[in-house]
Amino acid sequence: MLSILIVDDEKLILNGCRIMLERNLTFPFPIQIFTACKASDALMLFQETEIDLVLTDIRMPVMDGFQLISSLRSFCYTGEIAILTSHADFEYARKALRLNISDFLLKPIDQTELKRLICSAWDKKQAREEKQLDELCQELLSVALYDFSLSDLSANEETLRMLFPHTYFTVMLIPLETSEVNIQEVHNILQDYFAKCYCYLLSSQKQIMVLCNHPSFRICLNGLTDRLY
């Protein structure tokens, strides 16, 4: 799911953007929309929920868009931020580049551009999560080899559930005659038997270590040995 926060003191823009997202546009992934009329309300919302994309106006009373973005970055927010701006403010908005914003969206908001921005934010979120999972998979190798606890993984509960959605585990060590092996092909074979599996090539030991996660205690492994051979 992609969670989106729209921040604008103009209710016409705020509600119009929300209606576009909820009624006029369709996405191949679920979205959740939050709105705030003030930057201070947006900051309070960040304390309660996880936001993937912020769409914020620049000119707002008390705390403007730049101050909001600076505050979010000071809180180590790493999600996507896009600025809602008019043509008259476009040069002004370019100053936000130093705040590491993702994009601009010109008012009046174009549906095609809005959809492009949302899809781009989703792709970036997927890339971040994939990179995080790759890093955690490498940590799994240390857990399995050196008897570390799963609690030593630098992952939150949600990420651990993504890594291990099932109850039972199988660990295998597969001896090799050579250290040259297509590890992805081995992984593809094992996925026909196990719901989740992580494969590691231990070149110096001429072994493949496999950590499998599955919903049933009993697993039918008919033909697995021959396929791996």
Side-chain angles (χ1 to χ4, degrees):
M1 177 176 292
L2 187 77
S3 55
I4 305 165
L5 172 61
I6 310 166
V7 189
D8 201 311
D9 62 320
E10 295 183 58
K11 289 191 175 181
L12 185 64
I13 298 293
L14 193 68
N15 294 330
C17 189
R18 180 166 197 155
I19 288 171
M20 278 187 190
L21 290 172
E22 290 181 337
R23 303 181 188 176
N24 300 352
L25 297 174
T26 58
F27 299 94
F29 48 85
I31 63 173
Q32 185 176 21
I33 304 168
F34 302 91
T35 58
C37 295
K38 297 183 294 184
S40 57
D41 291 342
L43 290 175
M44 289 181 62
L45 186 63
F46 266 86
Q47 299 175 12
E48 303 169 0
T49 187
E50 184 174 339
I51 302 295
D52 300 308
L53 170 64
V54 178
L55 301 175
T56 181
D57 187 24
I58 297 176
R59 297 184 183 274
M60 293 185 291
V62 184
M63 179 185 288
D64 64 22
F66 288 138
Q67 291 171 310
L68 171 61
I69 296 169
S70 295
S71 296
L72 293 178
R73 293 309 188 200
S74 69
F75 296 153
C76 298
Y77 173 67
T78 58
E80 305 302 309
I81 299 177
I83 283 181
L84 302 173
T85 181
S86 65
H87 285 278
D89 287 336
F90 187 69
E91 288 301 317
Y92 179 55
R94 290 180 62 186
K95 296 178 182 178
L97 286 172
R98 68 178 181 272
L99 296 173
N100 192 27
I101 67 161
S102 308
D103 213 333
F104 300 97
L105 202 60
L106 291 177
K107 301 178 182 179
I109 297 172
D110 178 78
Q111 287 190 171
T112 302
E113 283 300 300
L114 179 60
K115 183 170 184 176
R116 176 196 61 78
L117 190 151
I118 300 298
C119 290
S120 175
W122 173 257
D123 290 341
K124 290 176 181 178
K125 179 183 179 179
Q126 294 295 99
R128 285 196 304 271
E129 290 182 348
E130 185 176 337
K131 180 181 178 182
Q132 183 185 26
L133 283 176
D134 285 344
E135 292 172 350
L136 288 171
C137 286
Q138 291 305 310
E139 289 187 38
L140 279 178
L141 179 60
S142 296
V143 169
L145 285 178
Y146 304 111
D147 198 28
F148 292 160
S149 166
L150 285 178
S151 62
D152 294 321
L153 282 174
S154 57
N156 56 34
E157 186 176 346
E158 181 181 355
T159 307
L160 284 173
R161 282 198 299 267
M162 291 173 62
L163 284 169
F164 308 117
H166 308 295
T167 304
Y168 300 100
F169 291 86
T170 297
V171 179
M172 293 187 287
L173 277 176
I174 305 172
L176 301 172
E177 293 181 357
T178 173
S179 58
E180 295 181 6
V181 65
N182 188 332
I183 194 72
Q184 185 59 48
E185 188 174 353
V186 173
H187 180 266
N188 294 341
I189 291 172
L190 289 165
Q191 279 195 313
D192 290 340
Y193 297 86
F194 299 96
K196 276 267 188 179
C197 61
Y198 303 95
C199 299
Y200 304 95
L201 176 62
L202 309 178
S203 300
S204 57
Q205 292 96 327
K206 289 188 177 180
Q207 292 176 327
I208 296 175
M209 187 176 69
V210 185
L211 176 60
C212 302
N213 184 219
H214 41 94
S216 302
F217 177 75
R218 297 186 181 276
I219 300 292
C220 179
L221 301 180
N222 290 346
L224 176 59
T225 303
D226 291 338
R227 291 182 66 186
L228 288 175
Y229 182 78

